């Protein structure tokens, strides 16, 4: 474990400003609104704010308030935040982000999870937090060989927790972090006490009987899943098939990188008109900066390529079941809202299921208090 500190050279920030000064804007679309993508008027204003008012040094200092390290696992330098609780009996918990997220997602929940006593909670609910950056994301190095899929990352996380000396621990995540956390439960069930997720994929198999008799709420969820499959997953198909071609545009243009990410914060969050209805603007831009400053648009998208091939390679019935307890927090404005009947079909060990009336995909940023409370509740009976 090598101590790590974020120290972005001023020259990199000056170069970003130069590029934001020299944006080549496309023609306006024939109609206003978000239906054809991010509206130019909104993006121009956000880019101007990014250039003139957003303070990276403030964000950098906040990230550096948390102890950070890098360690090489399976040939890749993995970056992590390691936040120890003041409570000696705290349960270790590995938190994993997804795309287009980062370790910055968890800044609002780190304090309440590690030190509940200081945040009006029960000290018996404390966690030691391990918050790694997925290989190819942020300050974790890009893999230098193919095969870094969900299973390989989960095995790396098991090794990471072993190196940190944690014999019993929990796992939590959303987006790819959900898939990695669930796979970690399969990979290391002797040490994982439970898995909590705030995103669960429950796509119908095509059998009409699966969806027969759904109540009105689950019918709405099925409609959301169908819309994602037919309209909202263009980004997925592109990143899963030609991630390298996409990377040239996003790595060269900060406004391109901004638009690619901000669209998802608009579509996947509990926002009425703009992403900032759900997520603080500076938080959103800090997340974008972790992609821009590290040049990881392409290396992060490679995970989609690996994930799809991992899924194709798995013969039906060969994936071992999850045997550890699983908890699910359902936020209604996520882009993939799970249906309980289908969830039980795939995961027989779900013991905790909470449906909230607000919030979306980026739960730790949108509704940190709700997520913290649900994580505490789920793991309370598993501490042993």
């Amino acid at each position: 474990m090598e101590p790590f500190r974020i120290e972005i050279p001023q020259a990199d920030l000056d170069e970003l400003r130069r590029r934001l000064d020299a944006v080549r804007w496309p023609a306006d679309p024939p109609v206003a609104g978000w239906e054809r993508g991010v509206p130019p008027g909104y993006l121009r204003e956000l880019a101007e704010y990014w250039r003139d008012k957003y303070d990276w040094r403030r964000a950098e200092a906040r990230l550096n308030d948390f102890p950070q390290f890098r360690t090489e696992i399976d040939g890749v330098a993995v970056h992590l935040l390691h936040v120890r609780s003041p409570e000696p009996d705290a349960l270790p918990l590995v938190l994993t982000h997804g795309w287009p997220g980062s370790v910055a997602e968890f800044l609002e929940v780190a304090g309440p999870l590690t030190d509940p006593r200081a945040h009006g909670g029960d000290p018996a609910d404390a966690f030691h937090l391990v918050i790694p950056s997925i290989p190819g994301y942020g300050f974790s190095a890009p893999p230098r060989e193919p095969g870094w899929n969900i299973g390989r990352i989960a095995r790396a996380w098991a090794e990471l927790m072993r190196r940190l000396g944690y014999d019993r621990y929990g796992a939590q995540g959303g987006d790819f972090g959900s898939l990695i956390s669930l796979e970690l439960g399969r990979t290391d069930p002797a040490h994982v006490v439970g898995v909590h997720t705030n995103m669960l994929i429950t796509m119908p198999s095509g059998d009409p009987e699966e969806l027969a008799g759904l109540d009105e709420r689950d019918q709405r969820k099925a409609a959301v899943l169908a819309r994602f499959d037919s309209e909202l997953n263009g980004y997925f198909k592109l990143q899963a098939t030609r991630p390298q071609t996409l990377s040239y545009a996003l790595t060269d243009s900060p406004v391109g990188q901004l638009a690619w990410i901000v669209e998802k914060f608009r579509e996947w969050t509990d926002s009425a008109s703009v992403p900032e209805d759900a997520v603080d603007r500076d938080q959103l831009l800090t997340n974008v900066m972790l992609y821009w400053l590290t040049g990881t648009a392409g290396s992060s998208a490679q995970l989609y390529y690996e994930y799809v091939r991992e899924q194709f390679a798995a013969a039906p019935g060969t994936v071992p079941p999850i045997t550890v307890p699983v908890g699910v927090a359902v936020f209604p404005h996520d882009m993939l809202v799970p249906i309980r009947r289908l969830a039980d079909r795939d995961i027989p060990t779900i013991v905790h299921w909470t449906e909230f009336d607000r919030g979306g995909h980026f739960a730790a940023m949108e509704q940190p208090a709700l997520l913290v409370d649900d994580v505490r509740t789920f793991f309370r009976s598993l501490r042993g």
Side-chain angles (χ1 to χ4, degrees):
M1 291 287 166
E2 296 292 333
F4 182 85
R5 184 175 176 82
I6 303 171
E7 294 177 327
I8 298 300
Q10 184 59 41
D12 290 0
L13 302 181
D14 294 341
E15 171 68 7
L16 171 60
R17 183 178 179 84
R18 184 192 69 76
R19 287 174 179 265
L20 291 172
D21 279 336
V23 177
R24 186 183 181 205
W25 293 99
D28 288 356
V31 294
W34 289 80
E35 290 76 13
R36 302 189 183 206
V38 183
Y42 168 79
L43 197 63
R44 285 191 179 96
E45 191 275 326
L46 182 59
E48 290 173 2
Y49 179 91
W50 190 11
R51 181 192 63 198
D52 298 333
K53 297 181 180 179
Y54 171 77
D55 185 352
W56 164 254
R57 294 303 184 197
R58 180 182 178 186
E60 184 181 68
R62 189 176 184 203
L63 285 163
N64 283 330
D65 282 340
F66 298 100
Q68 297 173 66
F69 301 87
R70 279 179 55 151
T71 184
E72 185 170 313
I73 302 176
D74 197 7
V76 170
V78 173
H79 164 259
L80 64 141
L81 280 59
H82 186 198
V83 191
R84 294 274 301 176
S85 171
E87 305 297 338
D89 296 327
L91 175 69
L93 179 66
V94 55
L95 295 176
T96 308
H97 65 86
W99 184 93
S102 68
V103 296
E105 285 185 53
F106 302 110
L107 296 182
E108 297 299 321
V109 301
L113 287 175
T114 56
D115 193 3
R117 188 192 303 269
H119 292 81
D122 185 345
D125 288 327
F127 297 92
H128 299 307
L129 295 184
V130 178
I131 311 175
S133 298
I134 296 172
Y137 287 69
F139 297 102
S140 283
R144 292 172 289 185
E145 61 182 16
W148 271 91
N149 51 33
I150 299 300
R152 192 164 177 178
I153 296 168
R155 292 190 294 274
W157 277 197
E159 169 61 16
L160 175 61
M161 298 303 277
R162 186 195 67 79
R163 289 187 189 182
L164 292 170
Y166 293 137
D167 185 61
R168 295 179 71 256
Y169 60 92
Q172 198 284 328
D175 197 86
F176 273 131
S178 168
L179 300 175
I180 293 166
S181 298
L182 290 167
E183 186 61 29
L184 185 55
R186 290 192 185 93
T187 299
D188 197 22
H191 302 102
V192 175
V193 301
V195 175
H196 182 280
T197 174
N198 56 279
M199 189 200 82
L200 193 64
I201 301 173
T202 59
M203 299 303 289
S205 67
D207 180 358
E209 290 299 316
E210 271 189 345
L211 302 181
L214 292 181
D215 62 22
E216 184 177 345
R217 173 186 283 187
D218 281 346
Q219 288 176 6
R220 289 196 300 268
K221 292 178 182 178
V224 169
L225 295 174
R227 181 174 179 237
F228 178 83
D229 192 49
S230 65
E231 178 191 347
L232 301 181
N233 70 347
Y235 79 98
F236 186 108
K237 291 182 177 179
L238 182 55
Q239 297 193 150
T241 56
R242 299 294 185 270
Q244 190 60 33
T245 303
L246 174 68
S247 73
Y248 300 114
L250 301 188
T251 305
D252 189 59
S253 169
V255 165
Q257 179 69 91
L258 177 65
W260 192 243
I261 290 178
V262 79
E263 178 185 86
K264 303 310 161 200
F265 274 82
R266 167 62 171 76
E267 292 181 340
W268 298 352
T269 61
D270 189 0
S271 57
S273 58
V274 294
E276 294 92 324
D277 293 336
V279 176
D280 176 79
R281 173 173 280 198
D282 284 358
Q283 280 187 303
L284 172 58
L285 289 171
T286 296
N287 193 68
V288 173
M289 286 288 273
L290 288 177
Y291 284 83
W292 174 257
L293 294 172
T294 59
T296 50
S299 57
S300 61
Q302 297 290 338
L303 183 53
Y304 283 85
Y305 190 94
E306 299 288 355
Y307 169 68
V308 167
R309 277 139 195 84
E310 183 181 26
Q311 295 299 299
F312 286 157
T318 62
V319 178
I322 298 173
T323 58
V324 302
V326 173
V328 182
V330 180
F331 290 90
H333 296 277
D334 203 344
M335 85 294 196
L336 289 170
V337 186
I339 297 171
R340 179 67 191 263
R341 181 190 302 178
L342 303 186
D344 289 332
R345 171 200 67 188
D346 300 330
I347 303 175
T349 58
I350 295 175
V351 298
H352 174 89
W353 183 279
T354 307
E355 300 214 10
F356 293 103
D357 62 358
R358 59 194 185 277
H361 188 68
F362 303 94
M365 301 173 75
E366 295 181 65
Q367 297 293 338
L370 294 182
L371 182 64
V372 165
D373 183 65
D374 205 64
V375 170
R376 288 173 177 171
T377 300
F378 170 68
F379 283 105
R380 196 167 287 148
S381 65
L382 304 176
R383 291 176 175 265

